[in-house]
C-alpha cells in the first residue's frame, strides 16, 4: 500500500490524501528496489517524500515530465505519450485483467465511473472476447453454440 499525500485535487481544493494498493507484483518489487538500493544513495533518510532528488529535495512533477519527454523523444515514441498516459495504461491493464470497476475507480480516485471509463483503452481482442461472453447466452453457446438446440 502506498500512501499518497499529494494526490490529484478537485477543482479549487487542496491535494487529496489516499492509499493506493499495489496490485501488480512487479510494481511492488520496483518500489522496494528503489527504497532499498537507490534512495539511500541520496542521503535523505529523514525526508518525508518517497521520490527525492540528488540534492535532497522532493521530485517535482515538472522534473518528471521533462525526464519522460527526454526518454520518449530519444526512443522516438509518439509525442502524444505523456506521464499521464501511464495512468490510462494502469486503468486499462486492470480492466483487461478482470479487476472490479469499483476497485479501479477507487484506485485512481475518481468519484464517478464515467471518469474512469474515459481512462480505459482496451484492445480489440479484449472487446471481442467480452462481446462473445455477453452474446453467448443469446446465441445458445451454453448448449454448444448456435443452431445446436434440438439437434441429434
Amino acid at each position: 500500500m502506498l500512501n499518497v499525500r499529494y494526490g490529484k485535487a478537485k477543482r479549487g481544493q487542496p491535494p487529496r490524501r489516499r492509499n493506493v494498493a499495489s496490485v501488480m507484483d512487479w510494481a511492488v518489487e520496483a518500489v522496494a528496489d528503489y527504497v532499498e538500493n537507490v534512495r539511500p544513495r541520496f542521503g535523505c533518510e529523514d525526508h518525508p517524500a518517497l521520490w527525492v532528488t540528488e540534492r535532497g529535495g522532493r521530485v517535482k512533477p515538472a522534473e518528471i515530465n521533462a525526464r519522460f519527454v527526454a526518454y520518449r523523444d530519444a526512443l522516438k515514441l509518439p509525442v502524444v505519450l505523456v506521464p499521464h498516459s501511464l495512468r490510462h495504461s494502469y486503468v486499462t491493464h486492470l480492466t483487461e485483467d478482470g479487476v472490479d470497476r469499483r476497485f479501479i475507480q477507487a484506485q485512481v480516485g475518481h468519484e464517478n465511473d464515467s471518469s474512469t471509463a474515459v481512462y480505459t483503452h482496451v484492445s480489440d481482442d479484449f472487446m471481442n472476447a467480452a462481446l462473445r461472453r455477453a452474446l453467448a447466452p443469446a446465441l445458445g453457446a451454453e448448449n454448444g453454440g448456435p443452431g445446436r438446440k434440438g439437434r441429434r
Side-chain angles (χ1 to χ4, degrees):
M1 198 63 104
L2 288 176
N3 177 270
V4 179
R5 290 180 52 197
Y6 298 102
K8 186 175 179 180
K10 291 182 183 179
R11 185 170 289 144
Q13 295 184 355
R16 292 186 290 176
R17 287 179 176 251
R18 61 191 178 88
N19 290 320
V20 177
S22 301
V23 296
M24 298 175 180
D25 291 343
W26 62 266
V28 174
E29 292 169 10
V31 172
D33 182 57
Y34 167 78
V35 168
E36 293 168 17
N37 300 310
V38 178
R39 192 177 186 284
R41 294 180 182 197
F42 293 119
C44 305
E45 298 82 24
D46 297 330
H47 199 290
L50 176 62
W51 309 104
V52 295
T53 68
E54 64 277 359
R55 293 187 178 159
R58 181 184 307 270
V59 173
K60 294 177 177 63
E63 295 163 340
I64 294 169
N65 189 59
R67 183 66 53 98
F68 186 94
V69 166
Y71 289 145
R72 179 199 65 206
D73 293 348
L75 294 167
K76 296 182 177 32
L77 295 172
V79 176
V80 296
L81 292 177
V82 294
H84 193 75
S85 301
L86 299 173
R87 188 168 159 88
H88 286 250
S89 295
Y90 177 67
V91 169
T92 299
H93 286 297
L94 291 180
T95 300
E96 289 189 345
D97 288 346
V99 174
D100 181 76
R101 295 287 300 172
R102 180 66 186 104
F103 176 82
I104 298 170
Q105 182 182 335
Q107 283 288 279
V108 293
H110 290 160
E111 286 187 6
N112 302 307
D113 184 56
S114 58
S115 299
T116 308
V118 171
Y119 280 64
T120 308
H121 310 283
V122 294
S123 68
D124 289 341
D125 288 342
F126 178 83
M127 290 295 285
N128 289 335
L131 182 60
R132 275 197 289 295
R133 283 192 305 277
L135 293 176
L139 297 175
E142 66 276 359
N143 295 317
R148 299 234 183 218
K149 291 182 183 177
R151 280 195 174 170
R152 297 179 190 247

